[in-house]
């Protein structure tokens, strides 16, 4: 679960300032040799070296390789014979020129938007509910949330397949008992909409706890005096929410929305393991599409091009927040 | 604000309902795993298993290669998380305690690395691993899982290191410790809870990883549990009892770890990553 936000460096800052002050033998005696001074100056870089090397080799290299592959004509034949056939921007032209690609992009954006809106709405409401509950009820609800949150994705996917199984699935039984008899033997993986519904339910169920618990944690940091001041000014529940709670929670909501967008956009196992993007490839989002085209259909060069375009789409969607994060980090360091 | 007893009914009722909604799938997984076959495929669901059987667990653990897969998953996860902790600890110490040129650039780099779209880089990774003749091996998997969890581990640990008062370290150094000794003797023990909480998310990520192992390791004896579990239809037919037993075994370690470490991890994330 990727969690970084905000880039505020309030905790690191004072420590770092102090580190600037001469410390240790370097500043106290003038007799320090130049070499030990140089060693001290090199220390941070040496400490960072393993992390940096790992990032370059394990992340940078695949990214570069991905870029190179996307300009190659690389299918099963070239792969087996280890041929390198450059074909310029042909892959990109073909992808951008096909209506299929654009419909996948559109589908991915809608899918991401629908999920994130549901997650943020429900997560916020449940987070606020947590803040209102008594201790015991709060612990109970927390336990439920933590269980859903901690379920490994593939285990959760398997359980959802069982809940929504055509025969003996408990969801169909409930719908049938509720009077919706045509649902008794409903095949949830038979249509695009119903498959997406199951996937959405699964993703929302697993993501809401993170938002709710974080939001609740954030509400506990709101100073009580602010509420007292608000109620002295005659603010009701709603006004005190909009004038005190919400402004306080805004950074958290902002950061969490950003994380959820990335997370939902990249969702792979949930969709793939439930129905491999089916029926008829109708639930393929961009990551699945890149995988099926590239690996499944052995158009590796094409898959690489699609994957690059996918990264591009993700960057466009998140650019606003990304810029804010980087700018904030640079301002505050 | 005072609330009347009546005003508590709705929030409490909603809380109970929500608890049921969130906990039910997990309950249903465990419940199904213990039910006799007849109760699983009954026209009306058996909500509380009265007849309990271990047959499904027996079937799951005796499935071909099950223990090899468990060993693979545990090895890859543990090694990846430990490696990333060591590497991140070194780096976080530099980032939290030292002032040097390019520090800001490093931090931004790791923040961006955390957004790495691993799900769409599988083709490039496949080509790199194939060209190094390392397909069907746990080594590249471990390396990439390490990288997947490294940025978060690093950024979170930076917060924990920064939170340890610098004076502790300084007084140890006044007492004659070198900087390294001060770190090992004074700071490291204080970081232990933070290290545990931080590694939780690493464990979950590596334990769960699916697309990479799907493409890199085709031979079943080199796969990991998530991949095996996702292919249960071929492994078990439509045997939901065995499938739910296998899912339970797969989920249990993480559920236990999470419930124990959750409180620390959550506050660690908010203190360490959000503010830190």
């Amino acid at each position: 679960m990727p969690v970084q936000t905000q880039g505020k460096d309030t905790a690191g800052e004072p420590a770092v300032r102090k580190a600037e002050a001469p410390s240790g033998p370097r500043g106290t005696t003038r007799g320090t040799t130049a070499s030990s001074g140089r060693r001290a100056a090199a220390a941070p870089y040496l400490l960072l070296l393993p992390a940096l090397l790992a990032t370059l080799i394990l992340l940078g290299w695949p990214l570069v390789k991905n870029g190179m592959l996307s300009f190659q004509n690389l299918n099963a034949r070239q792969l087996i014979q280890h041929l390198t056939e450059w074909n310029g921007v042909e892959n990109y032209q073909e992808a951008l020129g096909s209506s299929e690609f654009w419909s996948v992009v559109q589908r991915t954006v809608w899918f991401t938007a629908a999920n994130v809106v549901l997650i943020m709405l429900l997560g916020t409401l449940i987070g606020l509910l947590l803040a209102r509950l008594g201790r015991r009820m709060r612990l109970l609800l927390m336990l439920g949330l933590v269980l859903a949150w901690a379920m490994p994705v593939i285990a959760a996917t398997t359980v959802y397949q069982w809940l929504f199984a055509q025969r003996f699935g408990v969801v169909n039984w409930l719908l049938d008992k509720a009077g919706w008899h045509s649902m008794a033997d409903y095949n949830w993986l038979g249509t695009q909409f119903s498959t997406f519904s199951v996937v959405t339910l699964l993703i929302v169920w697993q993501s809401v706890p993170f938002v709710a618990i974080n939001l609740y944690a954030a509400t506990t940091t709101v100073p009580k005096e602010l509420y007292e001041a608000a109620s002295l000014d005659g603010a009701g529940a709603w006004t005190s929410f909009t004038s005190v709670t919400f402004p306080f929670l805004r950074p958290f909501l902002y950061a969490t929305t950003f994380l959820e967008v990335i997370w939902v956009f990249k969702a792979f196992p949930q969709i793939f393991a439930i129905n491999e993007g089916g029926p008829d490839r109708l639930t393929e989002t961009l990551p699945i599409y890149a995988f099926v085209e590239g690996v499944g259909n052995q158009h590796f060069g094409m898959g690489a091009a699609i994957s690059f375009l996918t990264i591009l789409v993700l960057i466009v969607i998140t650019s606003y927040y990304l810029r804010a994060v980087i700018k904030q980090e640079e301002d505050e360091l | 604000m005072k609330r009347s007893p009546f005003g508590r009914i709705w929030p409490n009722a909603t809380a109970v309902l929500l608890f049921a909604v969130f906990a039910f799938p997990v309950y249903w997984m465990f419940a199904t795993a213990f039910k006799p076959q007849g109760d699983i495929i009954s026209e009306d669901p058996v909500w509380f298993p009265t007849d309990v059987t271990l047959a499904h667990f027996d079937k799951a653990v005796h499935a071909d290669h099950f223990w090899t897969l468990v060993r693979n998953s545990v090895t890859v996860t543990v090694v990846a998380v430990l490696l990333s902790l060591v590497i991140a600890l070194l780096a976080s110490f530099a980032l939290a305690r030292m002032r040097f040129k390019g520090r800001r650039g490093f931090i931004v780099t790791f923040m961006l690395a955390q957004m790495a779209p691993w799900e769409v880089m599988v083709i490039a990774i496949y080509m790199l691993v194939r060209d190094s003749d390392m397909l069907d091996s746990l080594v590249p998997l471990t390396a990439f899982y390490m990288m997947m969890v490294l940025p978060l581990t690093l950024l979170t640990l930076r917060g924990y290191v920064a939170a340890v008062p610098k004076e502790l370290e300084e007084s140890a150094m006044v007492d004659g410790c070198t900087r390294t000794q001060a770190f090992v003797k004074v700071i490291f023990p204080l970081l232990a809870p933070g290290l545990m909480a931080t590694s939780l998310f690493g464990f979950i990520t590596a334990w769960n990883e699916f697309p990479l192992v799907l493409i890199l390791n085709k031979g079943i004896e080199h796969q990991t549990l998530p991949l095996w579990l996702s292919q249960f239809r071929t492994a078990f037919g439509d045997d939901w009892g065995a499938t739910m037993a296998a899912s339970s075994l797969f989920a249990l370690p993480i559920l236990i770890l999470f419930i124990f470490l959750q409180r620390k991890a959550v506050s660690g994330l908010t203190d360490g990553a959000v503010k830190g």
Side-chain angles (χ1 to χ4, degrees):
Chain A
M1 181 156 320
V3 173
Q4 61 80 46
T5 39
Q6 282 293 80
K8 273 198 180 173
D9 199 22
T10 44
E13 192 68 356
V16 170
R17 288 266 160 74
K18 267 180 229 141
E20 262 186 310
S23 64
R26 186 153 52 117
T28 46
T29 44
R30 285 190 60 94
T32 336
T33 57
S35 82
S36 89
R38 217 176 295 135
R39 213 183 306 141
Y45 301 104
L46 285 176
L47 291 172
L48 279 163
L49 192 65
L52 209 61
L53 276 181
T55 309
L56 280 178
I57 296 171
L58 297 168
L59 181 57
W61 194 22
L63 273 173
V64 171
K65 181 81 181 174
N66 196 37
M68 281 159 59
L69 290 173
S70 70
F71 296 109
Q72 290 175 19
N73 178 30
L74 183 61
N75 299 323
R77 190 176 72 87
Q78 289 85 350
L79 182 82
I80 293 161
Q81 299 179 4
H82 285 259
L83 294 174
T84 308
E85 288 177 15
W86 298 95
N87 67 351
V89 292
E90 241 173 69
N91 293 330
Y92 289 96
Q93 270 174 342
E94 203 185 312
L96 295 171
S98 79
S99 59
E100 200 185 329
F101 172 78
W102 289 107
S103 75
V104 177
V105 171
Q106 222 174 34
R107 185 188 300 154
T108 312
V109 171
W110 279 114
F111 170 75
T112 309
N115 275 277
V116 172
V117 167
L118 280 172
I119 291 166
M120 292 312 298
L121 211 67
L122 290 170
T124 308
L125 289 175
I126 296 176
L128 293 173
L129 177 67
L130 279 171
R132 263 201 79 175
L133 289 170
R135 215 180 72 87
R136 274 165 57 193
M137 276 297 163
R138 180 161 60 231
L139 277 178
L140 180 78
L141 181 49
M142 282 269 216
L143 176 69
L145 293 170
V146 166
L147 283 175
W149 186 4
M151 268 290 266
V153 177
I154 293 292
T157 310
T158 323
V159 174
Y160 269 68
Q161 283 175 317
W162 168 220
L163 293 172
F164 286 89
Q166 191 169 0
R167 300 205 59 208
F168 310 116
V170 70
V171 173
N172 281 352
W173 181 88
L174 275 174
L175 292 170
D176 180 33
K177 284 295 165 214
W180 202 347
H181 300 302
S182 60
M183 298 301 281
D185 273 314
Y186 187 70
N187 176 12
W188 284 90
L189 305 182
T191 74
Q192 181 186 33
F193 184 75
S194 58
T195 308
F196 264 137
S197 307
V198 177
V199 172
T200 299
L201 212 64
L202 167 63
I203 291 181
V204 170
W205 174 76
Q206 283 220 282
S207 314
V208 159
F210 172 71
V211 178
I213 293 177
N214 259 312
L215 202 90
Y216 162 66
T219 61
T220 59
T221 63
V222 183
K224 291 274 176 295
E225 299 77 42
L226 289 181
Y227 287 113
E228 282 160 19
S231 77
L232 279 180
D233 289 347
W238 177 250
T239 324
S240 87
F241 174 75
T242 52
S243 66
V244 180
T245 317
F246 187 71
F248 225 88
L249 298 183
R250 194 156 38 204
F252 280 88
L253 290 171
Y254 210 42
T256 324
T257 309
F258 167 70
L259 290 174
E260 293 295 346
V261 167
I262 296 177
W263 196 66
V264 173
F265 184 91
K266 296 197 301 178
F268 185 94
Q270 294 94 335
I271 300 174
F272 193 82
I274 273 224
N275 205 13
E276 303 207 352
D280 293 328
R281 307 188 59 178
L282 284 173
T283 56
E284 284 177 9
T285 55
L286 276 168
I288 312 278
Y289 183 64
F291 185 88
V292 173
E293 279 298 308
V295 183
N297 299 341
Q298 304 206 311
H299 302 310
F300 297 93
M302 189 66 188
I306 297 169
S307 111
F308 233 87
L309 292 170
T310 305
I311 299 174
L312 220 64
V313 174
L314 184 62
I315 290 176
V316 169
I317 294 178
T318 56
S319 58
Y320 178 71
Y321 188 87
L322 209 59
R323 227 182 43 205
V325 167
I326 293 175
K327 211 175 139 342
Q328 196 174 26
E329 185 72 16
E330 290 190 335
D331 287 348
E332 294 194 5
L333 283 187
Chain B
M1 267 183 281
K2 272 197 174 169
R3 286 201 191 92
S4 65
F6 183 75
R8 290 195 156 226
I9 292 177
W10 278 111
N12 286 351
T14 317
V16 172
L17 185 75
L18 284 170
F19 167 77
V21 168
F22 278 96
F24 182 75
V26 183
Y27 167 74
W28 205 234
M29 172 180 77
F30 285 116
T32 307
F34 286 106
K35 280 183 208 168
Q37 189 62 12
D39 283 2
I40 295 173
I41 51 165
S42 74
E43 284 309 321
D44 290 317
V46 178
W47 299 104
F48 303 100
T50 41
D51 234 358
V52 168
T53 170
L54 291 177
H56 303 303
F57 286 99
D58 194 53
K59 191 165 177 184
V61 300
H62 288 109
D64 284 346
H65 305 294
F66 177 78
W67 291 106
T68 315
L69 292 158
V70 170
R71 205 174 54 221
N72 290 350
S73 267
V74 171
T75 312
V76 170
T77 306
V78 170
V79 175
V81 170
L82 286 181
L83 272 176
S84 84
L85 278 181
V86 173
I87 296 177
L89 199 57
L90 296 174
S92 63
F93 188 65
L95 292 176
R97 281 293 155 84
M98 297 172 182
R99 187 87 172 161
F100 53 93
K101 227 183 176 162
R103 176 172 170 273
R104 171 191 310 175
F106 285 115
I107 295 175
V108 173
T109 306
F110 293 123
M111 288 181 120
L112 291 177
Q114 205 179 326
M115 290 179 52
W118 294 103
E119 292 78 0
V120 297
M121 293 199 309
V122 289
I123 293 166
I125 293 175
Y126 171 76
M127 298 299 289
L128 288 176
V129 173
R130 183 195 71 138
D131 293 345
S132 340
D133 278 323
M134 301 256 267
L135 289 175
D136 272 326
S137 152
L138 295 182
V139 176
L141 274 191
T142 311
F144 284 111
Y145 291 0
M146 191 281 289
M147 188 59 217
M148 280 178 201
V149 305
L150 180 65
L152 176 66
T153 312
L154 198 156
L155 293 168
T156 319
L157 274 181
R158 178 179 69 129
Y160 278 109
V161 173
V164 175
K166 177 124 179 87
E167 289 71 30
L168 286 177
E169 202 180 330
E170 280 164 354
S171 64
M173 277 156 73
V174 168
D175 290 347
C177 286
T178 64
R179 195 164 205 172
T180 319
Q181 282 170 335
F183 182 76
V184 172
K185 287 185 185 157
V186 180
I187 303 184
F188 191 74
L190 289 172
L191 282 179
L195 287 170
M196 275 166 62
T198 310
S199 49
L200 175 65
F201 290 97
F203 268 104
I204 293 179
T205 308
W207 188 249
N208 259 327
E209 202 286 333
F210 176 75
L212 259 194
V213 66
L214 173 69
I215 181 172
L216 293 183
N217 292 12
K218 300 284 185 205
I220 179 144
E221 64 274 28
H222 304 111
Q223 292 177 351
T224 54
L225 286 169
L227 186 53
W228 175 74
L229 200 53
S230 76
Q231 293 164 345
F232 71 92
R233 277 180 201 280
T234 41
F236 296 122
D238 252 348
D239 186 342
W240 290 110
T243 307
M244 289 302 109
S247 301
S248 306
L249 290 172
F250 176 67
L252 203 61
I254 297 290
L255 286 175
I256 292 174
L257 237 129
F258 203 91
I259 288 172
F260 272 109
L261 292 177
Q262 180 262 129
R263 196 179 284 260
K264 270 200 190 87
V266 171
S267 67
L269 281 179
T270 38
D271 299 348
V274 180
K275 294 180 201 145

PDB file of all heavy atoms in Angstrom, chain A residues 57-72:
ATOM      1  N   ILE A  57      18.837   0.379 -10.695  1.00  0.00           N
ATOM      2  CA  ILE A  57      18.870  -0.904 -11.376  1.00  0.00           C
ATOM      3  C   ILE A  57      17.480  -1.525 -11.481  1.00  0.00           C
ATOM      4  O   ILE A  57      17.077  -2.008 -12.536  1.00  0.00           O
ATOM      5  CB  ILE A  57      19.822  -1.876 -10.644  1.00  0.00           C
ATOM      6  CG1 ILE A  57      21.248  -1.335 -10.715  1.00  0.00           C
ATOM      7  CG2 ILE A  57      19.750  -3.274 -11.246  1.00  0.00           C
ATOM      8  CD1 ILE A  57      22.224  -2.080  -9.853  1.00  0.00           C
ATOM      9  N   LEU A  58      16.723  -1.494 -10.383  1.00  0.00           N
ATOM     10  CA  LEU A  58      15.471  -2.243 -10.351  1.00  0.00           C
ATOM     11  C   LEU A  58      14.270  -1.443 -10.821  1.00  0.00           C
ATOM     12  O   LEU A  58      13.236  -2.006 -11.155  1.00  0.00           O
ATOM     13  CB  LEU A  58      15.227  -2.773  -8.940  1.00  0.00           C
ATOM     14  CG  LEU A  58      16.284  -3.769  -8.461  1.00  0.00           C
ATOM     15  CD1 LEU A  58      16.147  -4.019  -6.963  1.00  0.00           C
ATOM     16  CD2 LEU A  58      16.161  -5.081  -9.225  1.00  0.00           C
ATOM     17  N   LEU A  59      14.396  -0.118 -10.817  1.00  0.00           N
ATOM     18  CA  LEU A  59      13.275   0.696 -11.279  1.00  0.00           C
ATOM     19  C   LEU A  59      13.645   1.485 -12.538  1.00  0.00           C
ATOM     20  O   LEU A  59      12.902   1.465 -13.521  1.00  0.00           O
ATOM     21  CB  LEU A  59      12.834   1.644 -10.163  1.00  0.00           C
ATOM     22  CG  LEU A  59      11.659   2.555 -10.453  1.00  0.00           C
ATOM     23  CD1 LEU A  59      10.450   1.740 -10.857  1.00  0.00           C
ATOM     24  CD2 LEU A  59      11.330   3.406  -9.244  1.00  0.00           C
ATOM     25  N   GLY A  60      14.811   2.124 -12.498  1.00  0.00           N
ATOM     26  CA  GLY A  60      15.226   2.935 -13.637  1.00  0.00           C
ATOM     27  C   GLY A  60      15.446   2.104 -14.894  1.00  0.00           C
ATOM     28  O   GLY A  60      14.958   2.446 -15.966  1.00  0.00           O
ATOM     29  N   TRP A  61      16.130   0.989 -14.701  1.00  0.00           N
ATOM     30  CA  TRP A  61      16.442   0.149 -15.862  1.00  0.00           C
ATOM     31  C   TRP A  61      15.172  -0.396 -16.535  1.00  0.00           C
ATOM     32  O   TRP A  61      15.022  -0.254 -17.760  1.00  0.00           O
ATOM     33  CB  TRP A  61      17.402  -0.958 -15.424  1.00  0.00           C
ATOM     34  CG  TRP A  61      18.078  -1.704 -16.516  1.00  0.00           C
ATOM     35  CD1 TRP A  61      18.274  -1.287 -17.805  1.00  0.00           C
ATOM     36  CD2 TRP A  61      18.639  -3.016 -16.442  1.00  0.00           C
ATOM     37  NE1 TRP A  61      18.927  -2.248 -18.520  1.00  0.00           N
ATOM     38  CE2 TRP A  61      19.158  -3.330 -17.712  1.00  0.00           C
ATOM     39  CE3 TRP A  61      18.749  -3.963 -15.399  1.00  0.00           C
ATOM     40  CZ2 TRP A  61      19.778  -4.553 -17.976  1.00  0.00           C
ATOM     41  CZ3 TRP A  61      19.374  -5.170 -15.662  1.00  0.00           C
ATOM     42  CH2 TRP A  61      19.886  -5.463 -16.943  1.00  0.00           C
ATOM     43  N   PRO A  62      14.230  -0.980 -15.791  1.00  0.00           N
ATOM     44  CA  PRO A  62      12.992  -1.421 -16.442  1.00  0.00           C
ATOM     45  C   PRO A  62      12.264  -0.285 -17.158  1.00  0.00           C
ATOM     46  O   PRO A  62      11.702  -0.490 -18.237  1.00  0.00           O
ATOM     47  CB  PRO A  62      12.146  -1.958 -15.297  1.00  0.00           C
ATOM     48  CG  PRO A  62      13.112  -2.355 -14.256  1.00  0.00           C
ATOM     49  CD  PRO A  62      14.253  -1.404 -14.372  1.00  0.00           C
ATOM     50  N   LEU A  63      12.312   0.918 -16.572  1.00  0.00           N
ATOM     51  CA  LEU A  63      11.631   2.041 -17.221  1.00  0.00           C
ATOM     52  C   LEU A  63      12.294   2.370 -18.559  1.00  0.00           C
ATOM     53  O   LEU A  63      11.608   2.576 -19.568  1.00  0.00           O
ATOM     54  CB  LEU A  63      11.651   3.272 -16.313  1.00  0.00           C
ATOM     55  CG  LEU A  63      10.513   3.393 -15.312  1.00  0.00           C
ATOM     56  CD1 LEU A  63      10.741   4.566 -14.375  1.00  0.00           C
ATOM     57  CD2 LEU A  63       9.174   3.555 -16.027  1.00  0.00           C
ATOM     58  N   VAL A  64      13.634   2.399 -18.558  1.00  0.00           N
ATOM     59  CA  VAL A  64      14.354   2.671 -19.797  1.00  0.00           C
ATOM     60  C   VAL A  64      14.088   1.558 -20.806  1.00  0.00           C
ATOM     61  O   VAL A  64      13.807   1.798 -21.979  1.00  0.00           O
ATOM     62  CB  VAL A  64      15.873   2.805 -19.515  1.00  0.00           C
ATOM     63  CG1 VAL A  64      16.658   2.865 -20.819  1.00  0.00           C
ATOM     64  CG2 VAL A  64      16.138   4.041 -18.674  1.00  0.00           C
ATOM     65  N   LYS A  65      14.163   0.327 -20.322  1.00  0.00           N
ATOM     66  CA  LYS A  65      13.914  -0.834 -21.188  1.00  0.00           C
ATOM     67  C   LYS A  65      12.508  -0.754 -21.790  1.00  0.00           C
ATOM     68  O   LYS A  65      12.311  -1.016 -22.974  1.00  0.00           O
ATOM     69  CB  LYS A  65      14.068  -2.113 -20.351  1.00  0.00           C
ATOM     70  CG  LYS A  65      13.862  -3.408 -21.116  1.00  0.00           C
ATOM     71  CD  LYS A  65      15.105  -3.793 -21.875  1.00  0.00           C
ATOM     72  CE  LYS A  65      14.892  -5.078 -22.670  1.00  0.00           C
ATOM     73  NZ  LYS A  65      16.040  -5.393 -23.537  1.00  0.00           N
ATOM     74  N   ASN A  66      11.564  -0.368 -20.963  1.00  0.00           N
ATOM     75  CA  ASN A  66      10.186  -0.226 -21.418  1.00  0.00           C
ATOM     76  C   ASN A  66      10.110   0.794 -22.550  1.00  0.00           C
ATOM     77  O   ASN A  66       9.460   0.561 -23.575  1.00  0.00           O
ATOM     78  CB  ASN A  66       9.302   0.197 -20.243  1.00  0.00           C
ATOM     79  CG  ASN A  66       7.834  -0.004 -20.526  1.00  0.00           C
ATOM     80  OD1 ASN A  66       7.457  -0.976 -21.173  1.00  0.00           O
ATOM     81  ND2 ASN A  66       7.010   0.903 -20.065  1.00  0.00           N
ATOM     82  N   GLY A  67      10.819   1.908 -22.370  1.00  0.00           N
ATOM     83  CA  GLY A  67      10.851   2.922 -23.413  1.00  0.00           C
ATOM     84  C   GLY A  67      11.443   2.371 -24.695  1.00  0.00           C
ATOM     85  O   GLY A  67      10.899   2.578 -25.785  1.00  0.00           O
ATOM     86  N   MET A  68      12.543   1.636 -24.569  1.00  0.00           N
ATOM     87  CA  MET A  68      13.182   1.088 -25.769  1.00  0.00           C
ATOM     88  C   MET A  68      12.294   0.069 -26.474  1.00  0.00           C
ATOM     89  O   MET A  68      12.155   0.075 -27.694  1.00  0.00           O
ATOM     90  CB  MET A  68      14.526   0.458 -25.390  1.00  0.00           C
ATOM     91  CG  MET A  68      15.627   1.504 -25.216  1.00  0.00           C
ATOM     92  SD  MET A  68      17.013   0.915 -24.232  1.00  0.00           S
ATOM     93  CE  MET A  68      17.541  -0.499 -25.171  1.00  0.00           C
ATOM     94  N   LEU A  69      11.685  -0.805 -25.688  1.00  0.00           N
ATOM     95  CA  LEU A  69      10.811  -1.830 -26.277  1.00  0.00           C
ATOM     96  C   LEU A  69       9.650  -1.209 -27.042  1.00  0.00           C
ATOM     97  O   LEU A  69       9.198  -1.749 -28.050  1.00  0.00           O
ATOM     98  CB  LEU A  69      10.241  -2.739 -25.181  1.00  0.00           C
ATOM     99  CG  LEU A  69      11.190  -3.697 -24.489  1.00  0.00           C
ATOM    100  CD1 LEU A  69      10.476  -4.384 -23.330  1.00  0.00           C
ATOM    101  CD2 LEU A  69      11.694  -4.738 -25.478  1.00  0.00           C
ATOM    102  N   SER A  70       9.190  -0.057 -26.543  1.00  0.00           N
ATOM    103  CA  SER A  70       7.999   0.531 -27.150  1.00  0.00           C
ATOM    104  C   SER A  70       8.280   1.051 -28.562  1.00  0.00           C
ATOM    105  O   SER A  70       7.356   1.325 -29.311  1.00  0.00           O
ATOM    106  CB  SER A  70       7.448   1.646 -26.265  1.00  0.00           C
ATOM    107  OG  SER A  70       8.320   2.748 -26.279  1.00  0.00           O
ATOM    108  N   PHE A  71       9.567   1.170 -28.915  1.00  0.00           N
ATOM    109  CA  PHE A  71       9.910   1.581 -30.283  1.00  0.00           C
ATOM    110  C   PHE A  71      10.354   0.393 -31.130  1.00  0.00           C
ATOM    111  O   PHE A  71      11.014   0.560 -32.131  1.00  0.00           O
ATOM    112  CB  PHE A  71      11.010   2.641 -30.258  1.00  0.00           C
ATOM    113  CG  PHE A  71      10.585   3.916 -29.585  1.00  0.00           C
ATOM    114  CD1 PHE A  71      11.099   4.265 -28.350  1.00  0.00           C
ATOM    115  CD2 PHE A  71       9.643   4.751 -30.181  1.00  0.00           C
ATOM    116  CE1 PHE A  71      10.701   5.434 -27.720  1.00  0.00           C
ATOM    117  CE2 PHE A  71       9.240   5.918 -29.560  1.00  0.00           C
ATOM    118  CZ  PHE A  71       9.764   6.254 -28.323  1.00  0.00           C
ATOM    119  N   GLN A  72      10.023  -0.819 -30.681  1.00  0.00           N
ATOM    120  CA  GLN A  72      10.444  -2.006 -31.413  1.00  0.00           C
ATOM    121  C   GLN A  72       9.249  -2.809 -31.901  1.00  0.00           C
ATOM    122  O   GLN A  72       8.189  -2.808 -31.286  1.00  0.00           O
ATOM    123  CB  GLN A  72      11.314  -2.906 -30.516  1.00  0.00           C
ATOM    124  CG  GLN A  72      12.673  -2.323 -30.227  1.00  0.00           C
ATOM    125  CD  GLN A  72      13.445  -3.172 -29.239  1.00  0.00           C
ATOM    126  OE1 GLN A  72      13.127  -4.343 -29.030  1.00  0.00           O
ATOM    127  NE2 GLN A  72      14.450  -2.589 -28.626  1.00  0.00           N
TER     128      GLN A  72
END
